[in-house]
Amino acid sequence: MSIDDQIKQRADAAAKKKKIAILAGLLIVLALVVAALLYYMLRQKPITEVFSGNNRAVYRRSMSNDFDWPLGVAVNPAGDRVYVVDSNNRLIKAFTANGKFLFSFGKAMDEKSGGEGFLNPLYIAVSPKGDVYVTDRSTATVSVYSSAGKYIARFVPKTTEKDFTWSPLGIAFGADGKMYVTDATKGQHRVLVFDKNGDLKLQFGKEGTGQGEFEFPNSLCVDKAGNIYVADSNNARVQVFDKTGKFKSLIGKSGKNTVGHPVGIAIDGENRLNVADTFGHTVMVFELNGKFAYKFGSFGDKNGQFMFPMGLAADDNSIFVVDREGERVQVWQY
């Protein structure tokens, strides 16, 4: 083969390699576009955010319906219905996940209410089978409703504790159906854990400032491993316990990213802990190991701003934040 033929052969080979590289690059770009489109269809996230890799929450919309002192919020297991505690109106209001108002239920308690009704409804949770549980510290009760808002009964704790009394605040369910309640009875601020039959299986904590002690525990949530996260509001921290109630760690208590007054907490679809800092007018987000990730929101009455955020709930890709003085529930997505 002549030198000219060798040069031509090498040039042809180089050109072929270049074409293959360009084709491979185009196929990679096409795969990314398809993946982004599929992700958008599943998560309803703007394409610009998908490509930027931004997994921080972004304000989407607000839910409102003549709220007067909204406090608690919960989303059902299917993620298609949101319940809000409208405390001063003594009602629970149901919305679609897109913010469309559906119906209200509940009523003020009086001598004619027959045991049903509220004086000061606070927090709310939906059981794995879809029933709605609402705490009322003023009446020391937890009321149970169907998903459609039909009153079922008051939850009656089954316990061997003599002269059992409680002042239920926060409430949450684990995937296994266990019910977790924070109790702020004077002298015995604690967490109570009930099984599906209503039997008290575990309690831990007392009033105080030490590890494993509480000063007005509010909301709580449970991760997939059964660890329990408690908003220890007046101690300005979130405490973490294992499934037996043994203290594990503190979140939001050290460094510059400290929590001022945690109230609502929830674990989102990215497996991060969202904490409503009521006096800081923001939501702080932590990895479950306690590492600070980011925060969102600021003080004000504009979209994406809070005035005393309270209850908080999350599903696969949305975070629902009760903006108490804004008289609305804000929906953030990532």
Side-chain angles (χ1 to χ4, degrees), residues 182-203:
T182 55
D183 175 18
T185 303
K186 184 174 176 58
Q188 57 178 27
H189 294 198
R190 58 185 175 171
V191 172
L192 305 171
V193 183
F194 300 89
D195 66 13
K196 294 179 182 179
N197 299 317
D199 291 303
L200 179 61
K201 291 298 185 180
L202 174 68
Q203 61 175 295

Side-chain angles (χ1 to χ4, degrees), residues 71-73 85 120-125 133-143 166-172 179-186 188-192 194 214-220 230-234 261-264 310-311:
L71 292 178
V73 62
V85 178
N120 184 28
L122 296 174
Y123 297 110
I124 187 168
Y133 288 65
V134 185
T135 65
D136 188 333
R137 186 168 179 246
S138 295
T139 59
T141 61
V142 174
S143 296
W166 67 340
S167 298
L169 286 176
I171 186 167
M179 185 174 78
Y180 300 76
V181 182
T182 55
D183 175 18
T185 303
K186 184 174 176 58
Q188 57 178 27
H189 294 198
R190 58 185 175 171
V191 172
L192 305 171
F194 300 89
F214 304 108
E215 288 286 347
F216 282 92
N218 271 280
S219 299
L220 74 173
V230 185
D232 187 9
S233 298
N234 286 9
H261 192 77
V263 175
M310 298 292 290

Side-chain angles (χ1 to χ4, degrees), residues 23-41 45-53:
L23 181 60
L26 289 173
L27 288 173
I28 291 172
V29 170
L30 179 62
L32 288 172
V33 170
V34 171
L37 289 171
L38 289 173
Y39 189 74
Y40 169 75
M41 292 171 63
K45 180 179 286 192
I47 296 299
T48 53
E49 291 177 31
V50 174
F51 279 118
S52 69

Side-chain angles (χ1 to χ4, degrees), residues 280-312:
H281 310 288
T282 189
V283 174
M284 304 186 73
V285 184
F286 298 86
E287 305 296 339
L288 296 188
N289 61 11
K291 181 182 178 182
F292 176 76
Y294 69 99
K295 61 183 177 181
F296 60 88
S298 61
F299 178 74
D301 60 1
K302 296 181 175 61
N303 288 340
Q305 295 184 320
F306 303 116
M307 292 189 292
F308 299 95
M310 298 292 290
L312 194 153

